[in-house]
Amino acid sequence: MSTVVAEQASPTPESSDSGRKPTLREGAFGNARALTCRECGHEIPLGPHYACSECFGPLEIAYDFPAVTREQIEAGPRNIWRYKALLPVPDDIEQSPNMEPGFTRLLKAHNLGRTLGIDNLWVKDDSTNPTNSFKDRVVACALSAATEFHSKVFACPSTGNLANAVAAAGARAGIKTVVFIPSNLEKPKQVNSAVYTDSLVAVNGNYDDVNRLASEIAGEEDGWAFVNVNVRPYYAEGSKTLGYEIAEQLGWRLPDQIVIPVASGSQLTKVHKAFQELIKLGLVEEKPYKVYGAQAEGCSPVSVAYKAGVDAIRPVKPDTIAKSLAIGNPADGIYVLDICRETGGAVEDITDDQVREAIVLLARTEGIFTETAGGTTVGVLKKLVETGQLDPTLETVVINTGHGLKTLDAVSDQVGPAATIDPSYASFAATGIA
């Protein structure tokens, strides 16, 4: 396992463990056993902590899973709670007011596959979640944890999609929400958050500046649950449901290859964790699979490290239209490197022009309008095939994480009316469209 690099912002033990010890009800976190350090393996009791008190490494959830069958899962609701036995949530989670995200469509992408020369291609389309992005999954798990910790405020630093999901989930749950975003965030994403909460705070700076501010507030204020800071271990587990669903929707088997966008890198690591859990539980047959990460060239610290063959990820100042991927200091970057290398995958990046081209390509081949993160992922898929890094004869899944209506400006100059005509057949015929 790689070592956490010095350049990455590491929380202090004090900021992780404020000394607050909420009383937890029995079964509040289902089959979760403890929080365990991803670097040294040290375990601590479940609580609102996110950094190891021994080595400052990031914490994640450890479980004592019971025997789980496919039939039990298939009998569950058509949302992420069908996998509640594998998540840090109580058995009665369905009784809590929440957005019930998940079980989004897995589409066979015949047209895109033919265009790219891939024989067997699927698109996992998470743009159909309640707030039109995959963030509803992670927020649902974070909200459950915040509720069990008796948090007064539900909050997050965000590049947009997370802000939308937190604001909506907080409104549904009846808990006060405060969301922090970079002030230059796309206008539609600002509106999509402000409509749910009157506490949208625009910060002059990039996402890394906003994240540092959130960490400081989390250390100063009691009762605040920052979904991706002090309850991050619970939040991150929501991304596992993407992996569970892909396997179930493929008929309880794993794909040969999967391409996943990389911002903090958490989603990619959790999809891999989901695949490994399914294997260990005997719910899918063990097989090799390759994991690929996708970044935009204007914010590609993980791709740069991968290509250089090094473990250290040097933080960058983001400059890309793919703002939801614009995290210059990705917390899980080193783990993305480990997984992509160990599985035989890769991490690749593309230019902003290639992101725009891929958005239009996906829309005109499969009828899916993706945001810039999805454009990045599809564009990287195309580049991986063209450069021989991805085998086009193997079954491949590409993840679309959000809807294009949130990032209209990215392609508004690329598309428009083919012609403006008078209301007459002669004018139409003159266009040559018929």
Side-chain angles (χ1 to χ4, degrees), residues 373-398:
T376 302
T377 315
V378 172
V380 163
L381 169 67
K382 180 174 182 286
K383 186 174 181 179
L384 289 168
V385 175
E386 292 172 344
T387 57
Q389 299 179 79
L390 183 143
D391 187 341
T393 67
L394 299 180
E395 184 174 59
T396 305
V397 174
V398 61

PDB file of all heavy atoms in Angstrom, residues 373-398:
ATOM      1  N   ALA A 373     -18.325  15.663 -16.193  1.00  0.00           N
ATOM      2  CA  ALA A 373     -17.622  14.503 -15.621  1.00  0.00           C
ATOM      3  C   ALA A 373     -17.876  13.264 -16.471  1.00  0.00           C
ATOM      4  O   ALA A 373     -16.964  12.469 -16.729  1.00  0.00           O
ATOM      5  CB  ALA A 373     -18.072  14.269 -14.182  1.00  0.00           C
ATOM      6  N   GLY A 374     -19.126  13.094 -16.909  1.00  0.00           N
ATOM      7  CA  GLY A 374     -19.444  11.966 -17.780  1.00  0.00           C
ATOM      8  C   GLY A 374     -18.765  12.101 -19.131  1.00  0.00           C
ATOM      9  O   GLY A 374     -18.323  11.106 -19.719  1.00  0.00           O
ATOM     10  N   GLY A 375     -18.689  13.346 -19.625  1.00  0.00           N
ATOM     11  CA  GLY A 375     -17.972  13.569 -20.872  1.00  0.00           C
ATOM     12  C   GLY A 375     -16.505  13.191 -20.735  1.00  0.00           C
ATOM     13  O   GLY A 375     -15.906  12.615 -21.657  1.00  0.00           O
ATOM     14  N   THR A 376     -15.940  13.502 -19.582  1.00  0.00           N
ATOM     15  CA  THR A 376     -14.553  13.129 -19.330  1.00  0.00           C
ATOM     16  C   THR A 376     -14.396  11.609 -19.357  1.00  0.00           C
ATOM     17  O   THR A 376     -13.444  11.076 -19.958  1.00  0.00           O
ATOM     18  CB  THR A 376     -14.101  13.675 -17.963  1.00  0.00           C
ATOM     19  OG1 THR A 376     -14.263  15.099 -17.951  1.00  0.00           O
ATOM     20  CG2 THR A 376     -12.657  13.322 -17.687  1.00  0.00           C
ATOM     21  N   THR A 377     -15.325  10.914 -18.748  1.00  0.00           N
ATOM     22  CA  THR A 377     -15.221   9.456 -18.645  1.00  0.00           C
ATOM     23  C   THR A 377     -15.364   8.798 -20.012  1.00  0.00           C
ATOM     24  O   THR A 377     -14.587   7.901 -20.368  1.00  0.00           O
ATOM     25  CB  THR A 377     -16.284   8.916 -17.670  1.00  0.00           C
ATOM     26  OG1 THR A 377     -16.312   9.733 -16.508  1.00  0.00           O
ATOM     27  CG2 THR A 377     -15.970   7.503 -17.259  1.00  0.00           C
ATOM     28  N   VAL A 378     -16.354   9.238 -20.785  1.00  0.00           N
ATOM     29  CA  VAL A 378     -16.548   8.675 -22.128  1.00  0.00           C
ATOM     30  C   VAL A 378     -15.363   9.039 -23.032  1.00  0.00           C
ATOM     31  O   VAL A 378     -14.880   8.217 -23.818  1.00  0.00           O
ATOM     32  CB  VAL A 378     -17.874   9.168 -22.731  1.00  0.00           C
ATOM     33  CG1 VAL A 378     -17.989   8.750 -24.201  1.00  0.00           C
ATOM     34  CG2 VAL A 378     -19.057   8.604 -21.938  1.00  0.00           C
ATOM     35  N   GLY A 379     -14.882  10.278 -22.913  1.00  0.00           N
ATOM     36  CA  GLY A 379     -13.736  10.687 -23.721  1.00  0.00           C
ATOM     37  C   GLY A 379     -12.485   9.894 -23.391  1.00  0.00           C
ATOM     38  O   GLY A 379     -11.699   9.536 -24.280  1.00  0.00           O
ATOM     39  N   VAL A 380     -12.287   9.629 -22.108  1.00  0.00           N
ATOM     40  CA  VAL A 380     -11.135   8.803 -21.706  1.00  0.00           C
ATOM     41  C   VAL A 380     -11.308   7.371 -22.210  1.00  0.00           C
ATOM     42  O   VAL A 380     -10.340   6.743 -22.661  1.00  0.00           O
ATOM     43  CB  VAL A 380     -10.947   8.838 -20.174  1.00  0.00           C
ATOM     44  CG1 VAL A 380     -10.047   7.693 -19.701  1.00  0.00           C
ATOM     45  CG2 VAL A 380     -10.341  10.179 -19.750  1.00  0.00           C
ATOM     46  N   LEU A 381     -12.534   6.847 -22.152  1.00  0.00           N
ATOM     47  CA  LEU A 381     -12.793   5.513 -22.712  1.00  0.00           C
ATOM     48  C   LEU A 381     -12.347   5.469 -24.174  1.00  0.00           C
ATOM     49  O   LEU A 381     -11.667   4.516 -24.603  1.00  0.00           O
ATOM     50  CB  LEU A 381     -14.287   5.179 -22.596  1.00  0.00           C
ATOM     51  CG  LEU A 381     -14.769   3.944 -23.356  1.00  0.00           C
ATOM     52  CD1 LEU A 381     -14.172   2.676 -22.767  1.00  0.00           C
ATOM     53  CD2 LEU A 381     -16.305   3.875 -23.334  1.00  0.00           C
ATOM     54  N   LYS A 382     -12.730   6.470 -24.936  1.00  0.00           N
ATOM     55  CA  LYS A 382     -12.356   6.545 -26.358  1.00  0.00           C
ATOM     56  C   LYS A 382     -10.830   6.567 -26.508  1.00  0.00           C
ATOM     57  O   LYS A 382     -10.269   5.841 -27.342  1.00  0.00           O
ATOM     58  CB  LYS A 382     -12.971   7.800 -26.972  1.00  0.00           C
ATOM     59  CG  LYS A 382     -12.688   8.024 -28.445  1.00  0.00           C
ATOM     60  CD  LYS A 382     -13.501   9.243 -28.946  1.00  0.00           C
ATOM     61  CE  LYS A 382     -13.291   9.472 -30.441  1.00  0.00           C
ATOM     62  NZ  LYS A 382     -11.985  10.028 -30.748  1.00  0.00           N
ATOM     63  N   LYS A 383     -10.167   7.365 -25.688  1.00  0.00           N
ATOM     64  CA  LYS A 383      -8.707   7.476 -25.769  1.00  0.00           C
ATOM     65  C   LYS A 383      -8.027   6.166 -25.376  1.00  0.00           C
ATOM     66  O   LYS A 383      -7.016   5.772 -25.972  1.00  0.00           O
ATOM     67  CB  LYS A 383      -8.227   8.619 -24.879  1.00  0.00           C
ATOM     68  CG  LYS A 383      -6.733   8.910 -24.992  1.00  0.00           C
ATOM     69  CD  LYS A 383      -6.354  10.156 -24.198  1.00  0.00           C
ATOM     70  CE  LYS A 383      -4.862  10.481 -24.332  1.00  0.00           C
ATOM     71  NZ  LYS A 383      -4.499  11.708 -23.578  1.00  0.00           N
ATOM     72  N   LEU A 384      -8.581   5.492 -24.374  1.00  0.00           N
ATOM     73  CA  LEU A 384      -8.002   4.215 -23.934  1.00  0.00           C
ATOM     74  C   LEU A 384      -8.045   3.173 -25.050  1.00  0.00           C
ATOM     75  O   LEU A 384      -7.114   2.384 -25.221  1.00  0.00           O
ATOM     76  CB  LEU A 384      -8.757   3.697 -22.703  1.00  0.00           C
ATOM     77  CG  LEU A 384      -8.550   4.465 -21.392  1.00  0.00           C
ATOM     78  CD1 LEU A 384      -9.567   4.021 -20.348  1.00  0.00           C
ATOM     79  CD2 LEU A 384      -7.128   4.268 -20.861  1.00  0.00           C
ATOM     80  N   VAL A 385      -9.139   3.180 -25.817  1.00  0.00           N
ATOM     81  CA  VAL A 385      -9.246   2.252 -26.949  1.00  0.00           C
ATOM     82  C   VAL A 385      -8.251   2.637 -28.035  1.00  0.00           C
ATOM     83  O   VAL A 385      -7.521   1.785 -28.569  1.00  0.00           O
ATOM     84  CB  VAL A 385     -10.684   2.245 -27.510  1.00  0.00           C
ATOM     85  CG1 VAL A 385     -10.754   1.371 -28.769  1.00  0.00           C
ATOM     86  CG2 VAL A 385     -11.661   1.734 -26.469  1.00  0.00           C
ATOM     87  N   GLU A 386      -8.222   3.920 -28.358  1.00  0.00           N
ATOM     88  CA  GLU A 386      -7.353   4.393 -29.443  1.00  0.00           C
ATOM     89  C   GLU A 386      -5.874   4.162 -29.146  1.00  0.00           C
ATOM     90  O   GLU A 386      -5.076   3.958 -30.061  1.00  0.00           O
ATOM     91  CB  GLU A 386      -7.617   5.882 -29.690  1.00  0.00           C
ATOM     92  CG  GLU A 386      -8.997   6.163 -30.275  1.00  0.00           C
ATOM     93  CD  GLU A 386      -9.316   7.652 -30.337  1.00  0.00           C
ATOM     94  OE1 GLU A 386      -8.617   8.458 -29.669  1.00  0.00           O
ATOM     95  OE2 GLU A 386     -10.287   8.012 -31.025  1.00  0.00           O
ATOM     96  N   THR A 387      -5.505   4.219 -27.879  1.00  0.00           N
ATOM     97  CA  THR A 387      -4.096   4.050 -27.508  1.00  0.00           C
ATOM     98  C   THR A 387      -3.755   2.609 -27.129  1.00  0.00           C
ATOM     99  O   THR A 387      -2.632   2.336 -26.704  1.00  0.00           O
ATOM    100  CB  THR A 387      -3.743   4.980 -26.330  1.00  0.00           C
ATOM    101  OG1 THR A 387      -4.634   4.699 -25.233  1.00  0.00           O
ATOM    102  CG2 THR A 387      -3.866   6.434 -26.727  1.00  0.00           C
ATOM    103  N   GLY A 388      -4.730   1.715 -27.267  1.00  0.00           N
ATOM    104  CA  GLY A 388      -4.473   0.307 -27.006  1.00  0.00           C
ATOM    105  C   GLY A 388      -4.367  -0.056 -25.535  1.00  0.00           C
ATOM    106  O   GLY A 388      -3.904  -1.151 -25.192  1.00  0.00           O
ATOM    107  N   GLN A 389      -4.823   0.832 -24.649  1.00  0.00           N
ATOM    108  CA  GLN A 389      -4.749   0.541 -23.213  1.00  0.00           C
ATOM    109  C   GLN A 389      -5.936  -0.276 -22.712  1.00  0.00           C
ATOM    110  O   GLN A 389      -5.893  -0.827 -21.612  1.00  0.00           O
ATOM    111  CB  GLN A 389      -4.653   1.848 -22.415  1.00  0.00           C
ATOM    112  CG  GLN A 389      -3.429   2.687 -22.731  1.00  0.00           C
ATOM    113  CD  GLN A 389      -3.415   3.976 -21.914  1.00  0.00           C
ATOM    114  OE1 GLN A 389      -3.063   3.990 -20.742  1.00  0.00           O
ATOM    115  NE2 GLN A 389      -3.790   5.074 -22.541  1.00  0.00           N
ATOM    116  N   LEU A 390      -7.014  -0.303 -23.487  1.00  0.00           N
ATOM    117  CA  LEU A 390      -8.233  -1.025 -23.100  1.00  0.00           C
ATOM    118  C   LEU A 390      -8.588  -1.996 -24.218  1.00  0.00           C
ATOM    119  O   LEU A 390      -8.569  -1.627 -25.396  1.00  0.00           O
ATOM    120  CB  LEU A 390      -9.368  -0.030 -22.839  1.00  0.00           C
ATOM    121  CG  LEU A 390     -10.710  -0.575 -22.364  1.00  0.00           C
ATOM    122  CD1 LEU A 390     -11.337   0.382 -21.344  1.00  0.00           C
ATOM    123  CD2 LEU A 390     -11.669  -0.759 -23.532  1.00  0.00           C
ATOM    124  N   ASP A 391      -8.904  -3.230 -23.850  1.00  0.00           N
ATOM    125  CA  ASP A 391      -9.199  -4.277 -24.829  1.00  0.00           C
ATOM    126  C   ASP A 391     -10.651  -4.134 -25.304  1.00  0.00           C
ATOM    127  O   ASP A 391     -11.584  -4.367 -24.521  1.00  0.00           O
ATOM    128  CB  ASP A 391      -8.985  -5.644 -24.181  1.00  0.00           C
ATOM    129  CG  ASP A 391      -9.113  -6.782 -25.185  1.00  0.00           C
ATOM    130  OD1 ASP A 391      -9.699  -6.563 -26.266  1.00  0.00           O
ATOM    131  OD2 ASP A 391      -8.641  -7.892 -24.869  1.00  0.00           O
ATOM    132  N   PRO A 392     -10.883  -3.767 -26.560  1.00  0.00           N
ATOM    133  CA  PRO A 392     -12.254  -3.546 -27.040  1.00  0.00           C
ATOM    134  C   PRO A 392     -13.073  -4.816 -27.202  1.00  0.00           C
ATOM    135  O   PRO A 392     -14.272  -4.748 -27.473  1.00  0.00           O
ATOM    136  CB  PRO A 392     -12.035  -2.855 -28.395  1.00  0.00           C
ATOM    137  CG  PRO A 392     -10.705  -3.341 -28.849  1.00  0.00           C
ATOM    138  CD  PRO A 392      -9.882  -3.504 -27.611  1.00  0.00           C
ATOM    139  N   THR A 393     -12.450  -5.981 -27.038  1.00  0.00           N
ATOM    140  CA  THR A 393     -13.196  -7.243 -27.171  1.00  0.00           C
ATOM    141  C   THR A 393     -13.793  -7.687 -25.836  1.00  0.00           C
ATOM    142  O   THR A 393     -14.571  -8.648 -25.804  1.00  0.00           O
ATOM    143  CB  THR A 393     -12.285  -8.360 -27.709  1.00  0.00           C
ATOM    144  OG1 THR A 393     -11.285  -8.683 -26.728  1.00  0.00           O
ATOM    145  CG2 THR A 393     -11.598  -7.941 -29.004  1.00  0.00           C
ATOM    146  N   LEU A 394     -13.442  -7.016 -24.738  1.00  0.00           N
ATOM    147  CA  LEU A 394     -13.917  -7.420 -23.412  1.00  0.00           C
ATOM    148  C   LEU A 394     -15.138  -6.611 -22.990  1.00  0.00           C
ATOM    149  O   LEU A 394     -15.315  -5.463 -23.413  1.00  0.00           O
ATOM    150  CB  LEU A 394     -12.799  -7.240 -22.381  1.00  0.00           C
ATOM    151  CG  LEU A 394     -11.522  -8.064 -22.604  1.00  0.00           C
ATOM    152  CD1 LEU A 394     -10.508  -7.768 -21.502  1.00  0.00           C
ATOM    153  CD2 LEU A 394     -11.839  -9.552 -22.662  1.00  0.00           C
ATOM    154  N   GLU A 395     -15.961  -7.202 -22.133  1.00  0.00           N
ATOM    155  CA  GLU A 395     -17.151  -6.502 -21.638  1.00  0.00           C
ATOM    156  C   GLU A 395     -16.728  -5.310 -20.782  1.00  0.00           C
ATOM    157  O   GLU A 395     -15.947  -5.459 -19.829  1.00  0.00           O
ATOM    158  CB  GLU A 395     -18.021  -7.439 -20.807  1.00  0.00           C
ATOM    159  CG  GLU A 395     -19.321  -6.782 -20.361  1.00  0.00           C
ATOM    160  CD  GLU A 395     -20.247  -7.771 -19.664  1.00  0.00           C
ATOM    161  OE1 GLU A 395     -19.830  -8.344 -18.649  1.00  0.00           O
ATOM    162  OE2 GLU A 395     -21.377  -7.972 -20.164  1.00  0.00           O
ATOM    163  N   THR A 396     -17.258  -4.152 -21.127  1.00  0.00           N
ATOM    164  CA  THR A 396     -16.814  -2.904 -20.510  1.00  0.00           C
ATOM    165  C   THR A 396     -17.997  -2.101 -19.989  1.00  0.00           C
ATOM    166  O   THR A 396     -19.034  -2.010 -20.650  1.00  0.00           O
ATOM    167  CB  THR A 396     -16.039  -2.051 -21.534  1.00  0.00           C
ATOM    168  OG1 THR A 396     -14.958  -2.825 -22.077  1.00  0.00           O
ATOM    169  CG2 THR A 396     -15.478  -0.793 -20.902  1.00  0.00           C
ATOM    170  N   VAL A 397     -17.840  -1.501 -18.824  1.00  0.00           N
ATOM    171  CA  VAL A 397     -18.845  -0.600 -18.245  1.00  0.00           C
ATOM    172  C   VAL A 397     -18.217   0.771 -18.078  1.00  0.00           C
ATOM    173  O   VAL A 397     -17.084   0.886 -17.599  1.00  0.00           O
ATOM    174  CB  VAL A 397     -19.361  -1.110 -16.884  1.00  0.00           C
ATOM    175  CG1 VAL A 397     -20.294  -0.077 -16.235  1.00  0.00           C
ATOM    176  CG2 VAL A 397     -20.089  -2.441 -17.040  1.00  0.00           C
ATOM    177  N   VAL A 398     -18.946   1.809 -18.479  1.00  0.00           N
ATOM    178  CA  VAL A 398     -18.508   3.184 -18.246  1.00  0.00           C
ATOM    179  C   VAL A 398     -19.582   3.874 -17.409  1.00  0.00           C
ATOM    180  O   VAL A 398     -20.779   3.660 -17.625  1.00  0.00           O
ATOM    181  CB  VAL A 398     -18.262   3.922 -19.580  1.00  0.00           C
ATOM    182  CG1 VAL A 398     -19.526   4.017 -20.418  1.00  0.00           C
ATOM    183  CG2 VAL A 398     -17.676   5.309 -19.341  1.00  0.00           C
TER     184      VAL A 398
END
